[in-house]
Amino acid sequence: MEIRLTDKQFEQLQTNLIQDALKTMSNVPKFIDIKSEFIAIHKTNVNANQISIPIDKITSLINFERENGFVTDIHFLGDPVFNIVSVNLTIDEIKKMIREA
């Protein structure tokens, strides 16, 4: 049986999975530190190699395939200047970081 989700439904599923993972963990810190070769902070012209993201504010993880690999956008509620960060990590790698935090 195959279930097809719209992009919006997929984003909501990702959000729900992240929130469920957070609910099952105890003593979860409020931030994860992401270290990556590529981190682009949207709405600014900043590139970095490390950023702290508030776990409880993450709303979705969206993976894009590019010619030089893949990029995952992390959407979160936060600073009005930026609320989307692109990193060259997979969704599974980010979820693992959240679980380990």
Side-chain angles (χ1 to χ4, degrees):
M1 179 173 156
E2 182 177 340
I3 298 173
R4 295 192 177 262
L5 300 175
T6 65
D7 289 346
K8 188 69 174 173
Q9 289 171 321
F10 180 75
E11 287 179 30
Q12 185 61 45
L13 177 62
Q14 289 289 338
T15 300
N16 292 342
L17 290 173
I18 291 168
Q19 289 172 348
D20 288 346
L22 291 174
K23 287 177 187 175
T24 60
M25 297 181 226
S26 61
N27 300 324
V28 177
K30 294 186 180 195
F31 294 87
I32 56 171
D33 292 324
I34 294 185
K35 294 180 183 179
S36 178
E37 294 172 14
F38 168 77
I39 298 176
I41 302 170
H42 295 254
K43 296 187 181 177
T44 67
N45 291 327
V46 175
N47 286 330
N49 59 7
Q50 182 173 349
I51 188 168
S52 292
I53 296 178
I55 293 173
D56 60 342
K57 302 293 183 186
I58 295 174
T59 59
S60 63
L61 303 171
I62 302 172
N63 198 332
F64 298 98
E65 193 167 337
R66 303 252 167 101
E67 64 276 353
N68 57 347
F70 55 87
V71 173
T72 300
D73 280 354
I74 303 171
H75 295 247
F76 60 97
L77 304 172
D79 190 315
V81 175
F82 68 92
N83 59 3
I84 302 173
V85 174
S86 295
V87 298
N88 64 337
L89 299 170
T90 66
I91 288 176
D92 288 336
E93 290 171 322
I94 295 168
K95 286 181 181 180
K96 182 179 177 189
M97 291 174 70
I98 292 171
R99 281 187 213 102
E100 291 175 352

